[in-house]
């Protein structure tokens, strides 16, 4: 509903505070004009509607005409959107709108590269909870735009027993047992393991899904055989664009990548005004 | 005052929502324990007090003992802090605290590398307004921790006439004139230019500071001579770790780098529980 | 974290507005005293810590000593807690604290009666999303206190395909197919059906759990046989204290009851001041 | 102004959180349709505009056509409203809208029954401050819809000296004296008593209105004679549908009933989609 | 409860925004010291606890020792309070704390002068709803500190039929009739009139209180005779310190003065730091 | 963006709370009408759009037709605006809208008188941070409407070293030195002094601007000669309409006046309804 709006308002507030002193000093209130938003490198677009909302929350009278949709590949120099209205409003919203667009498109672009790298395999590229504080919903949206799949939105919508939970419970078997006893009937129980022995322990204790953390491709392959038809398997831990295909080849069902959201390179986008 | 707190609360909310189902299912409410936070690679620490606040906003009874301060260099495997209290609370705050720490330390680490690269020159490394929406205050703090300087916090605390303002005013001279007429007496007027001719125009019109956007080092050197004693000069535009020294050599007063905050690689940090 | 606090603050605000005119007119600011909270009928206690927070949010100097914990059965006339501090503060928080206590204990008491009614059967009493707007988290907590189990907290933490979804998809098979294709790997897919034929269709399409809506006990018994080992079954629809055992006998795994939260009778609790 | 809106937004948020996983998985974003809201038992409608707002806050493009107004009696099976628009939006708002409608209509229906039971007497049915936390304004609205009258909205808009105030002041006379000395000139002073002697004491001390708490009908009748022309009288304390007429016969001016808002049975309402 | 806190936080935010650049640049974080707050003219103190809260909301570690209470007369040069703690915190809270103190003491001082001017007469000095937006609760508190009485806090806690209501109803009699029919039993009905004829009309229609707007002292005296024992009378309309006694002499029960809160002269107060 | 809106909503809430009891009792919901807003004395209008927003936030269907703009001089009896719509809405918004209009126009009117008094001199009339808590942005807007200039919006958008900073630093020279070392390149450094000797010290230490606090006109004249071409000079401290021209004559660049915002006399404005 209005989560995007809250984030956008905060971002505008953070940039405009008690007023844009430059724009207020230079630009007549009744000057109207038009600006175009351009890509300055090729990327996968994500966030075009967030950019639109940013302009229109600042000034509902701004018209925003988009020339492409989220998910498309854009070339360098392509015009992505045209905004028109009060010039002072265009200038006030510019930086915030571009900050969203650059960050979210950065995520979608990186995700798409991972997705492309494993496209011959029936494996899902997944994100993690390693997101930028405050932006999780938007960042996970950008992952989907890039062709990835979302892992848990938070700790509230899935059971994932991690190493620290296991340490606190005293072992995988006990942790999974507790999980299966308490998990609501509409949720699976996933558990994180680090070795083939632990995979076996997880399977025996009845885990529905297993996250293989920092395991080598060969071990993962073995785990896939063990778990066949019994549990969903997911690999994670330092997997890069260079290594992702090797992991995909193991037959694993999902590969989760923290870098999709925690180490984003913004793409380059600019706005040019034309009176 | 309480801006950090607002951001931390939102981040915790985003991760915990209606409750951490795994922890609630597995961990007894009255289990107490201790966890240690480790660096998994060398970096410049930033955000240790934010991490502390994150744990303590979640559960005021948690004790957080830090073993290093923001700004120090940490080695791989170093113990950064020890947290103790209700185990369920430690687990619930873990991801959010680490997300802050990894992101802010990533910024400080990158900033420090730029600062080191130009340490023989009397030039300041500056950030920009290209920050992650919602995190500007924290990100600009991390830049300072890394040894950088902050450019404007927002549009409200400084005058910077950018290309789009100039386009809307019809030229540098007119834009600077309007700026000088309306700027409060306690602020300087800075203007963005793209060529030596524009530097001259800016100086003639009385600009107090000039941002040289995407100009080559040779032109910047010439601009430095022209502006000597008349205006503060700042370079920007695609300057990288590889090229920054070349720019520093020109005698420029400041170098602003969007990537410090818009293209951050999170550093690797983990928490390990010990009951 | 602070959800309870938000709700409590709103409830206090709603009752006190710009000030308690009676208390402000009558009670000297420096009058200190003690009050006791009594049950006026037997019930299952729920919300004692919410009552405590209510007093202490209003005035952090109030001491609240509870004489019983959530989940216990209380007799008529039992002293549940003693509060002491500024008399004016005790009077200002009284109504709001009691309103919470009466409502939540009402839920726990009703839930307990359902749980008792089926205690010889391996079946869970479940709540629904038919909760009082704004109080869902607290009401679902009270259900757990009464011995019930929570169904979904909201639409965000579980997949439940309801009649209207099926209508919009054009059939059970298609709806379950879409659900299984899009559901995150850490969630099961539950679907609502209304007849044995639909149970079969749901099982064939691979549903992990099935909600039998308004089906007669005999049909439910047949469904249990059909689904054995294949899917979790849950019954719902107008089940009362009088009929619940009949449903439990069918072998069904869960029985969900909207009335637990949508038709609550407050229990009777009062506070008596002693100067 | 926007109090309703705040409550509705919270209720939607509580149900939708980070997103309706079922609807998002199953229903195409561009599927449009229509749904009808039906009564499944006879009741007094209350909250139809709240239901409308709920749908339209979720999605302003939804059209909501109501077929009856608050206050009317509806039969079982009657179509109350038709909503049309994006099917996904209809499904997302359904539960929250119905929760409001079922709860508020439950209050109006119960109130109407009390009002009907005393319709031959010049007595007002009044609510109390025993409301569901967070919903007071809406619940008191539903009481008016049912034909009841509101007692104080909170402690801020009326003086009512209760037993605990009297205990803290050391007696009725002293309490009323303080009340009359400090009450603003635009307010009456009402005091709670429990016996005929206390009625006399209250009258002598000049109380403008008297609440007779838990007094038997005969005593109330005597109190009515005593107070004739001197003070407004109100009865309260465990008065039910079975006993209310007996109290009305005493000549009392008002009867306040906590159960109107603290022990509500939701009425049964459903929504059926039609593509 | 926390209304003051909300206002104080907003006021601090408004002054500090993204940070106090001067203090952050000049004052070491670990410099501790002391400051004293002095009156620079004689006045009636109001708001000393608000000032304390302002310092302590900014920095809970600040100690605030007050040397006088709200309501006392202070001389020029008197030390009102001593604050000690982090010097940077003292400086950051200074302006906001003084702004509250100067404004509220201004109100109390003016009120006291009116109260003194009529002290030989049994008449109350009352405020109005002509308050500074956002500060009503605090301003009305300051009026009480000065010895005045509060009229309605808002439109929600009293019935006052004003000229525009009368115009909309078509006359005093009709307006009062509607008011008496709908007013809750715990409230009086007050009506505004502008002539003796209207006083008579108001009395006949049963008004409990009458506000005489802009009527001359002689007419007010006549009104007092007419209303004797039937209604509470209040005068308003441009009454000043010079004329207030003349009005008090008429025997009127209350005199309401908009200027108490709408035309306040801040008293002069300063803070001096001592390291 | 939405700061005005927040303030207006709070002000309406403060006046209307749980509902306008008089209007709700007297005015039929479907009564439509018109009202006119009149000046009752001559003044400079400020806040007409705030008044408009106030009506329209309360009820978006209200039409507000203004007959003059902020900044114009209005005569007694002039019709400033006409509002039409639901009469109940007009009455509910009336007081809040007028409170804004009366306060802001009071500020603009006083500012204009100062501006007129020095119109023959090249000096700016400036405001201060001595504003009413919560209203700074609006009050500073009203100063501009009156022809004045804004000093800092807060501590975040300018460097001004005050007496307490100097005391904490141990002297003007040290304070200015620290300020110049840490001030961002886009800001000037202003320092407050109290004597000619301190002016010299400030100039020597390189201050960009100097605030002369409580200095006599002759000393200010001397300071102007000393600072010529080196620093911007500003006078402050108890300057009144009677004395301001004397200060203007000294050649000072700015005169800052706390009373513009801390000691405002509301102008008299009323609304009259016509059905």
């Amino acid at each position: 509903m209005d989560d995007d709006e809250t984030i956008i308002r905060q971002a505008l507030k953070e940039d405009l505070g008690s007023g844009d002193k430059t724009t207020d000093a230079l630009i007549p209130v009744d000057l109207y004009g038009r600006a175009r938003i351009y890509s300055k490198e090729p990327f996968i677009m994500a966030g075009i509607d967030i950019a639109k909302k940013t302009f229109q929350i600042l000034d509902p009278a701004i018209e925003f005409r988009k020339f492409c949709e989220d998910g498309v590949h854009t070339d360098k120099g392509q015009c992505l959107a045209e905004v028109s209205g009060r010039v002072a409003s265009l200038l006030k919203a510019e930086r915030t709108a571009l900050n969203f667009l650059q960050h979210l498109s950065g995520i979608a672009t990186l995700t798409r590269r991972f997705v492309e790298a494993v496209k011959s395999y029936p494996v899902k590229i997944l994100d993690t909870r390693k997101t930028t504080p405050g932006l999780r919903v938007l960042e996970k949206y950008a992952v989907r735009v890039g062709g990835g799949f979302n892992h848990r939105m938070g700790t509230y919508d899935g059971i994932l027993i991690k190493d620290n939970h296991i340490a606190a419970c005293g072992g995988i078997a006990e942790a999974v047992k507790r999980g299966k006893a308490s998990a609501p009937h509409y949720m699976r129980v996933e558990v994180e393991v680090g070795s083939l022995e632990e995979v076996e322990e997880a399977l025996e204790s009845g885990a529905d899904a297993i996250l293989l953390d920092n395991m080598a491709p060969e071990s993962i392959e073995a785990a896939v055989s063990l778990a066949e038809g019994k549990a969903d398997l997911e690999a994670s831990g330092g997997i890069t664009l260079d290594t992702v295909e090797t992991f995909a080849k193991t037959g694993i069902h999902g590969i989760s990548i923290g870098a999709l959201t925690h180490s984003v390179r913004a793409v380059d986008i600019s706005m040019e005004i034309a009176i």
Side-chain angles (χ1 to χ4, degrees), chain A:
Chain A
M1 184 181 38
D2 59 347
D3 276 339
D4 297 354
E5 200 179 313
T6 303
I7 295 170
I8 294 171
R9 284 187 186 279
Q10 288 179 334
L12 283 167
K13 184 82 193 160
E14 173 181 78
D15 194 44
L16 298 174
S18 54
D20 177 340
K21 284 202 167 57
T22 310
T23 301
D24 290 344
L26 271 66
I27 310 297
V29 165
D30 55 354
L31 181 67
Y32 287 79
R34 212 171 57 228
R36 290 172 160 244
I37 297 176
Y38 292 100
S39 60
K40 300 182 70 177
E41 60 174 316
F43 60 81
I44 302 301
M45 162 73 77
I48 191 73
D49 292 324
I50 297 295
K52 180 180 178 182
K53 272 198 202 174
T54 304
F55 280 101
Q56 294 185 338
I57 283 174
L58 185 109
D59 178 351
I62 288 181
E63 267 189 76
F64 185 101
R65 204 144 61 92
K66 60 181 168 183
F67 297 135
C68 60
E69 292 292 339
D70 281 358
V72 306
H73 179 281
T74 71
D75 288 319
K76 181 171 173 177
Q78 195 172 326
C79 178
L80 310 173
E82 186 177 275
V83 270
S84 51
R86 220 176 265 273
V87 170
S89 299
L90 302 180
L91 290 166
K92 286 175 184 183
E94 172 186 359
R95 184 72 266 137
T96 303
L98 295 188
N99 283 350
F100 276 113
L101 217 42
Q102 296 188 137
H103 183 70
L104 297 178
S105 297
I107 291 174
T109 303
L110 181 57
T111 304
R112 181 68 58 88
R113 292 181 69 195
F114 274 98
V115 169
E116 290 292 324
V118 302
K119 71 179 165 195
S120 323
Y121 308 88
V123 63
K124 291 178 175 178
I125 295 298
L126 292 158
D127 55 26
T128 67
R129 284 164 50 233
K130 296 182 177 176
T131 54
T132 316
L135 294 183
R136 185 170 291 171
V137 169
L138 289 180
E139 292 187 341
K140 290 203 165 229
Y141 165 74
V143 166
R144 292 197 302 276
V145 165
F149 289 78
N150 293 332
H151 209 299
R152 295 190 295 170
M153 291 306 292
T155 59
Y156 53 84
D157 73 333
I159 307 273
L160 175 47
I161 302 174
K162 310 258 303 172
D163 51 354
N164 278 330
H165 291 108
I166 294 169
C169 288
I172 288 174
E174 174 64 18
V176 174
K177 193 182 111 193
R178 291 189 199 171
K180 292 191 72 86
S182 300
H185 69 272
Y186 51 85
M187 281 193 178
R188 294 215 167 79
V189 172
E190 178 167 8
V191 64
E192 177 181 319
V193 304
S195 67
L196 271 182
E197 294 68 42
E198 292 184 357
V199 171
E200 284 176 33
E201 192 178 350
L203 289 170
E204 272 157 32
S205 54
D208 302 307
I210 304 177
L211 187 159
L212 311 176
D213 190 44
N214 277 312
M215 282 173 60
E218 311 80 58
S219 307
I220 293 177
E221 215 169 326
V224 169
S225 305
L226 280 174
E228 180 106 54
K230 296 184 201 138
D232 207 82
L233 292 193
E234 174 191 351
S236 81
I239 299 170
T240 65
L241 276 170
D242 289 339
T243 62
V244 70
E245 193 181 354
T246 316
F247 285 90
K249 278 184 187 155
T250 62
I252 194 87
H253 313 309
I255 296 175
S256 54
I257 316 242
L260 294 185
T261 53
H262 74 47
S263 293
V264 186
R265 193 182 69 73
V267 302
D268 199 359
I269 303 179
S270 73
M271 184 178 105
E272 283 176 34
I273 220 147
I275 306 303

